[in-house]
Amino acid sequence: MSGLPPSPPHSAPAHPHARPAGAGECAARSEPVGSPTPSTKNSWTAARRAHPGPRSREGSSLSPTHTDASTGTGHNPLDRERAHLASSRAALRAMRADVESLDLSDVTGNWVNAAILQREIADRIKALADFAHTPLFFGRLDYLHAPGTDLAEGAGGEQFYIGRRHVHDADGDPMVIDWRAPVSQPFYRASRKDPLDVALRRRFGYTGGDLTAYEDEHLTDPAEAETTSALLAAEIERPRVGPMRDIVATIQPEQDEIVRADIHGSVCVQGAPGTGKTAVGLHRVAYLLYAHRERLARTGTLVIGPNRSFLHYIEQVLPALGELDVAQATVEELVAHVGVTGADPAATAVVKGDARMAAVLQRAVRSGIRLPTEPCVVVRGSRRWRVPAYELEEIVRELMDRDIRYGAALAALPQRIAHAVLVKMENGGEAPDDRVQDSVARNPAVKAAVKASWPAVDPVKLVFRLLSDAEFLAGCAEGLLTPEEQQAVLWPKAPRSAKSASWSLADAVLIDEARDLVMRTHSLGHVVLDEAQDLSPMQYRAVGRRCTTGSTTVLGDIAQGTTPWATATWAEALRHLGKPESRIEALTKTFRVPSEVIRYASRLLPGIAPDLAPAESVRESHGALRIRRLPEPEGTIAAVLAACRESLANEGSIGLIAADARVPELAAALDAAGLPYLDPGTETSAESRLTLVPASLAKGLEYDYVVLDEPAAIVDGEPDPRTGLRRLYVCLTRPVSGLTVLHSRPLPRALTVD
């Protein structure tokens, strides 16, 4: 319950369901409030001052936004909502103080329990932190009836404030409802067509941490016209400074369906640039941790990203939603059984990443198995017990036929031989017990028989031999790899030992596969895999091993696949991941990229992803795209510096994206010109807003303004034209507000067509 008197009836025009703004890969901080009645024109003007950024969209009606200027005096709904915000913050502080005051001295039995409980208390205190610039609640729902009364006649409605975490007062009554709770779902799903028993949906607008505006939608009022939320529009165009923000206030219905999908099924999201797929995946993790906390606390959750820069960019989203214990890793970190110090040529990496290598490794792991030809004789005291060769062969064949890991079979073999000995001992009149069987299993004769038939396998040494011994590789790859492919896999010059080898990422993935063949990899409860389109089949298998008993959320865009082994279809990728039954969802509305920019970039789609439909932007932003042809290559650097200075005159972050080979030259020019810049992944601030981004690291990042240097150089920097054009597509779709393309060389043909 809100604890506030109900708002007076609205006489203001309707405030319609918001078109998605801010629902993309950016964070939501726009939030709802009270009840209004002012001049639409004045309220819109005041809202623009409070929330600078959005441009009016042609053919769309922006919903009235109520601010101090538009609500007048007396019974001001904003004052009531601000009072509730202040009360809620006070209640949150009290909740934190209650936890901090807990005395644990007499409630634990030993120091281990005390340490565990102390850590849980510390995590709870951290989760209850109140960040001044993060709105505590962003919406309000006024129900027609009390939830749970099954629409009983005469049941009174209830009012709920929706926020990032649950807050209750001293009596335990809710002041803010967690956005993940079932009662909060209509905030994201309700519409005029299906209001879900909601009479009023209110969105709040904030400047910093101050509540400054609100918009209302009367979902059951047929007189209200359908309009677009000005607060949501302002949120999406709010300048980006710092790490990625959450989108909890602006999640759209199609995104919410993915976020709240059942944990028992896996979901694959095909999302065009700016559709919010990364944010949706992170909010899905937060939702699952809320709905299945005990289960996932036992089994664990993991977010996998393409590189550390990307993970650093997104790392604040889950803590902002109150979730502190979600691990993050790259694929390279997952398979870090050896240090990755080398790199393979593209052709070699493609073969090493092919799914056929799994079968090659399976043969290699089992290549040392030999059927026994000699009996095993165990001496105990004055007696000798003999297990004949044919009986040993039966035991080995049985283990070979069973679908168990090589290491598990290796552990079982001495026990099987020992059991055969015990049977003979019993037939001889003895009465051995389990301790005798364990003793026999450790007998030197049994150990020798096991070593001869089922030798131990070191995954690192096995892969080393496979990549350096042509004869061994040929035997394991016969019928699987062609002679040319085998030659591509072999090291040109074999290192002296596994320790001195210069391992590549593809090699590390092979070692990870071999390790799993020897001993099963631990499975987590839920894994989010972002930028999944870039993984090889063997890398998919490495990720799939981490969630064999759990579920996955796969995020990506086929058109942004920028590796020579990038997946062609999601069905193929999911098969390699071990989740062929996963549901595939498509997000095609982009909330981040201006329509002028996404239409330009989409000209590349017929050549790089012909089966994908172009994305549609909800944001018209005329003048967002500027293409400048430079007459001479020598003038490119000067033009880049001028474009950066021009972009820095605007609010927000600026990304200078260039081919990797040109980055050192541009870095030197920026230094000489006195323009400070950051590396990708380094948090921007109001004082330092320019980031120099190699094209290879641009994926997943976003900037208010992008200066794109020499597109042809970006294309040429990749091993093949299709990959180069996909890399260019990624770079073209990084801006939120404006894109400047500078080129002295001809643009790709698709981008020159009017």
Side-chain angles (χ1 to χ4, degrees), residues 196-218:
L196 300 177
D197 200 43
V198 173
L200 172 71
R201 172 167 54 204
R202 176 166 289 177
R203 302 181 188 276
F204 297 109
Y206 288 79
T207 300
D210 298 327
L211 199 161
T212 54
Y214 70 89
E215 293 174 344
D216 284 348
E217 298 173 71
H218 298 85

Side-chain angles (χ1 to χ4, degrees), residues 361-369 405-408 410-411 450-451 453-465 472 510-511 513-519:
L361 285 166
Q362 188 166 33
R363 290 181 182 178
V365 166
R366 290 177 166 256
S367 63
I369 298 175
R405 295 296 194 275
Y406 186 91
L410 176 60
V450 170
K451 184 176 181 180
S453 296
W454 205 284
V457 170
D458 182 323
V460 175
K461 292 180 179 178
L462 179 81
V463 174
F464 176 82
R465 183 184 176 193
F472 180 59
L510 295 178
I511 293 171
E513 180 84 25
R515 282 175 60 91
D516 187 69
L517 290 169
V518 173
M519 195 60 66

